[in-house]
Amino acid sequence: MARPRVLSGIQPTADSFHLGNYLGAVRQWVTMQETHDAFYCVVDLHAITVPTEPAALRRRSRVAAAQLFAAGLDPERATVFVQSHVREHTELAWILICLTGMGEAGRMTQFKDKSAKFGESAASVGLFTYPILQAADILIYQADKVPVGADQKQHLELTRDLGQRFNHRYGDTFTLPEPYILKEVEKITDLQEPTAKMSKSSSSPAGILDVLEQPGPLRKKVMRAVTDTGTEVLFDEDNKPGISNLLRIQSALTGTPIPDLVARYAGQGYGTFKKDVAEAVVETFTPIRERAEKLLSNESELDRMLAVGAERAGAVARQTMEQVRDRVGFLPKF
Ligand code: AQP
């Protein structure tokens, strides 16, 4: 029987992924390549929905790809590619844009959050249509599952709605994908603002743990993470959001259930616990950083690996688009 297909993407919007990207997405991607027909992309078209410098985009796209391979994605087992290399994504996005209501697109909370930074009228139309391009990314591969963090739940619902609408209007064409969200790591929060999502673009440097960061700063940031004035290591999201976030992180990195961690650190205060969290982060990130640095030292080999991914992804996308063009009523090109 064919393996279920999985698709997910990550934006090249920073010089490193952070712990939230790693636990909420990338680590699942690596696990799922064993059991799924896996497609993962560096979504550079999404990155330009906010002003982006060309040299930074090029550099960050390679850095993103290098981190994916360094985290354990195997080009033999997973199709890893850059979104703009498969032009069909934008073609399908246009068709889906024509199926989306203005009110429907206007309800997307991520647009409201991100555009609040520049003021809604200064935000690009691309940022407004971002979730529709994301729907195209997913539907074009007929994905069954999409591993994401909690912030993407609403976009996944729109993807299903658009797929269903297309199928209803033009005939059965798209698989309707299910989100795959691991509850325990769906929202890793900012170390300085423990109720806000850890985020490439909105976290302060002290609030974010970058995969490519050196051990020294990583340790310092964990030790300085905001906690409450108490001393007990307890999981209590409402009253102890900082400690609860660190417990979630430590549990995910070491595979130890949270109640076991709480029992282990009883009566020891925050210091010992934070030190152990810092070590777990450093132990996880160091080999990834070293492998990523090696991959980045040979850009042409990295580009070649991405070309292989683009070729495989393009073959699937072209097949879907042939059917879509015909269903919509576009004339065949002879
Ligand atoms: N804090 C988080 N906890 C759990 N999962 C997270 N993800 C992001 N932040 C967290 C998941 O990482 C994947 C890739 O994210 P993205 O690059 O598409 O951008 P994003 O979700 O918008 O993440 P950022 O860090 O906030 O990036 P910017 O600042 O560029 O917008 C997604 O699956 C996401 O759920």
Side-chain angles (χ1 to χ4, degrees):
M1 210 177 83
R3 290 174 160 202
R5 184 166 288 163
V6 68
L7 176 289
S8 201
I10 190 156
Q11 295 190 79
T13 37
D15 287 313
S16 174
F17 296 154
H18 57 70
L19 184 65
N21 300 138
Y22 177 71
L23 290 178
V26 176
R27 199 168 72 156
Q28 267 81 265
W29 297 11
V30 176
T31 311
M32 290 175 103
Q33 73 180 341
E34 308 300 338
T35 46
H36 289 71
D37 181 19
F39 287 72
Y40 302 125
C41 54
V42 174
V43 290
D44 53 351
L45 296 169
H46 284 281
I48 63 162
T49 55
V50 295
T52 302
E53 221 252 302
L57 180 62
R58 255 188 293 276
R59 182 182 71 246
R60 289 169 170 179
S61 295
R62 288 201 179 97
V63 167
Q67 287 174 96
L68 294 180
F69 292 123
L73 287 179
D74 173 359
E76 299 289 323
R77 279 179 290 175
T79 299
V80 180
F81 64 103
V82 174
Q83 183 189 27
S84 65
H85 287 174
V86 183
R87 308 262 156 93
E88 284 77 7
H89 287 233
T90 40
E91 187 185 359
L92 180 58
W94 176 253
I95 293 167
L96 296 179
I97 282 171
C98 297
L99 289 180
T100 310
M102 284 294 286
E104 191 175 31
R107 281 194 291 277
M108 297 296 119
T109 54
Q110 197 175 66
F111 172 74
K112 289 184 191 152
D113 294 345
K114 289 200 172 179
S115 61
K117 274 184 221 151
F118 333 93
E120 215 168 279
S121 58
S124 72
V125 175
L127 187 63
F128 186 68
T129 58
Y130 180 116
I132 310 170
L133 176 59
Q134 190 177 343
D137 300 337
I138 297 164
L139 294 172
I140 207 164
Y141 296 103
Q142 310 286 5
D144 299 290
K145 272 189 221 164
V146 185
V148 284
D151 58 331
Q152 296 297 327
K153 231 183 257 176
Q154 195 189 29
H155 290 175
L156 250 294
E157 277 159 26
L158 179 71
T159 301
R160 287 178 60 86
D161 288 347
L162 291 176
Q164 208 157 21
R165 197 168 304 155
F166 187 101
N167 288 351
H168 184 71
R169 190 167 302 180
Y170 297 113
D172 235 6
T173 307
F174 293 118
T175 303
L176 301 182
E178 298 286 345
Y180 176 80
I181 298 177
L182 275 192
K183 198 87 198 100
E184 309 80 57
V185 286
E186 65 173 7
K187 186 181 171 190
I188 298 299
T189 60
D190 186 305
L191 299 185
Q192 292 299 315
E193 247 184 279
T195 51
K197 177 181 103 144
M198 187 180 285
S199 155
K200 295 191 220 87
S201 56
S202 49
S203 288
S204 68
I208 195 168
L209 294 170
D210 278 334
V211 173
L212 299 182
E213 208 155 18
Q214 296 292 329
L218 285 173
R219 289 197 181 96
K220 205 178 279 174
K221 287 183 193 185
V222 175
M223 295 311 290
R224 290 184 183 166
V226 165
T227 48
D228 53 274
T229 51
T231 53
E232 284 296 296
V233 177
L234 293 174
F235 192 79
D236 177 348
E237 305 231 47
D238 295 329
N239 301 307
K240 289 173 164 285
I243 285 294
S244 301
N245 189 40
L246 293 178
L247 276 167
R248 248 191 322 255
I249 292 170
Q250 182 71 342
S251 171
L253 291 177
T254 62
T256 315
I258 289 179
D260 294 6
L261 291 173
V262 170
R264 182 180 305 166
Y265 293 102
Q268 295 199 50
Y270 293 161
T272 316
F273 170 56
K274 281 179 158 180
K275 223 179 261 169
D276 289 352
V277 176
E279 282 324 302
V281 171
V282 167
E283 261 174 44
T284 306
F285 284 178
T286 302
I288 300 178
R289 176 173 49 77
E290 288 171 354
R291 283 195 291 269
E293 281 166 0
K294 197 156 168 226
L295 284 156
L296 285 164
S297 69
N298 188 350
E299 279 186 2
S300 54
E301 174 58 12
L302 186 60
D303 290 354
R304 191 200 58 79
M305 289 159 85
L306 290 171
V308 170
E311 196 46 49
R312 284 211 297 260
V316 178
R318 283 192 291 277
Q319 200 182 4
T320 305
M321 281 314 293
E322 252 174 56
Q323 205 180 17
V324 167
R325 284 186 207 111
D326 180 56
R327 296 244 155 112
V328 170
F330 295 151
L331 286 177
K333 184 176 146 217
F334 288 107

